[in-house]
Amino acid sequence: MWMVETEMAFSKLENAMDCADDFFKVLCKWALDNCIEDMKFVCKRIDKTSIDRLQSATSKPFAKITYTEAVEALKKAKDKMEVKVEWGFAFTTEHLSYLADEIYKSPVIIYNYPRDLKPFYVRLNDDGKTVAAFDMIVPKVGKLMSGSQNELRVDRLTKRIKELGLPKEQYEWYLDLKRHGAVSTSGFSFNFDLMLLFTTGMTNVRDVIPFPRGLGKPNN
């Protein structure tokens, strides 16, 4: 997997979500503007909806919902789910696909996840139960990007490290970064291979990795 890691200073969760939204739309538009002949081939031979999907992604605003709103939406479709969802549970691939492909029929950003589902360094929200983190879900693929706002408060970080049973001495260097002055930062991780999967409409990520593969060739 090829990953793009984005980190921004002087930014909060909302800035990271807006940047992820813009970044995704720019990539969709670039593919249409610069690779239209390739996209016509893809549309003819692989997925007839590929060009329409890219055009739709660039022209429509993304839905942005909280984790709690996503849970409530999925509960309404519980008869169609193999795995039932409850607040505090991690979403499965089935849940994410249903949100993007069936309910919203477009990319959707889910934010404010339960704190137990995210790492210790994600900023705790004022409710004490959720953290400033998000996932971008897109049709045909599922989770394409994950991001968060980083926690600056040393006391909150120390508490989370203790709650998760992590060895505090191994994280003193990280705590020092916050003790001696820091600014609000946020960012996200972007999966390049899954973007190709979304663009082309291929069904298996192994078919879009940028490396040659051949039957019976373990070195490939």
Side-chain angles (χ1 to χ4, degrees):
M1 293 284 184
W2 282 18
M3 302 296 294
V4 176
E5 301 288 342
T6 303
E7 194 75 15
M8 301 179 292
F10 307 103
S11 65
K12 297 183 178 180
L13 178 66
E14 294 78 9
N15 305 118
M17 292 193 294
D18 289 343
C19 183
D21 184 321
D22 291 341
F23 182 55
F24 176 74
K25 289 178 178 177
V26 164
L27 291 178
C28 292
K29 187 176 186 305
W30 192 93
L32 291 171
D33 292 344
N34 297 276
C35 308
I36 190 59
E37 293 303 319
D38 292 328
M39 290 308 305
K40 287 178 180 178
F41 175 84
V42 167
C43 196
K44 180 180 179 180
R45 304 293 292 272
I46 301 173
D47 183 355
K48 295 180 180 179
T49 65
S50 57
I51 291 179
D52 290 341
R53 185 167 57 252
L54 291 178
Q55 290 174 336
S56 176
T58 60
S59 61
K60 295 181 180 179
F62 287 6
K64 292 182 181 179
I65 60 174
T66 65
Y67 169 89
T68 301
E69 291 170 336
V71 169
E72 293 304 317
L74 290 169
K75 281 184 176 180
K76 294 177 182 178
K78 61 182 180 181
D79 294 338
K80 300 178 181 179
M81 300 281 108
E82 290 186 11
V83 180
K84 306 304 179 187
V85 64
E86 296 292 340
W87 200 95
F89 287 13
F91 292 137
T92 65
T93 301
E94 177 192 30
H95 297 144
L96 299 177
S97 296
Y98 195 84
L99 283 168
D101 293 316
E102 301 297 332
I103 296 180
Y104 290 97
K105 294 181 173 59
S106 70
V108 56
I109 291 177
I110 306 170
Y111 64 99
N112 286 353
Y113 275 82
R115 65 180 189 175
D116 291 337
L117 298 181
K118 296 296 179 180
F120 76 92
Y121 55 79
V122 180
R123 184 177 178 85
L124 186 68
N125 290 328
D126 292 339
D127 60 14
K129 300 188 301 180
T130 63
V131 290
F134 77 92
D135 291 327
M136 178 186 289
I137 315 302
V138 299
K140 297 185 74 69
V141 172
K143 187 188 300 184
L144 179 66
M145 301 189 207
S146 292
S148 65
Q149 179 181 344
N150 294 330
E151 180 64 82
L152 286 177
R153 297 162 294 186
V154 175
D155 59 330
R156 300 292 179 90
L157 284 169
T158 303
K159 184 178 180 180
R160 288 291 289 141
I161 289 172
K162 183 178 180 180
E163 289 175 349
L164 294 173
L166 301 174
K168 183 172 179 290
E169 62 276 7
Q170 294 185 16
Y171 293 93
E172 285 296 336
W173 67 270
Y174 185 81
L175 296 174
D176 283 344
L177 294 176
K178 312 302 177 183
R179 288 191 183 105
H180 304 303
V183 298
S184 178
T185 61
S186 66
F188 58 87
S189 299
F190 165 78
N191 192 309
F192 179 77
D193 301 303
L194 294 184
M195 183 66 199
L196 289 180
L197 203 66
F198 173 82
T199 303
T200 61
M202 300 290 283
T203 57
N204 195 315
V205 72
R206 290 179 298 181
D207 296 324
V208 298
I209 59 174
F211 302 100
R213 296 172 64 247
L215 183 63
K217 302 289 184 181
N219 58 324
N220 285 347

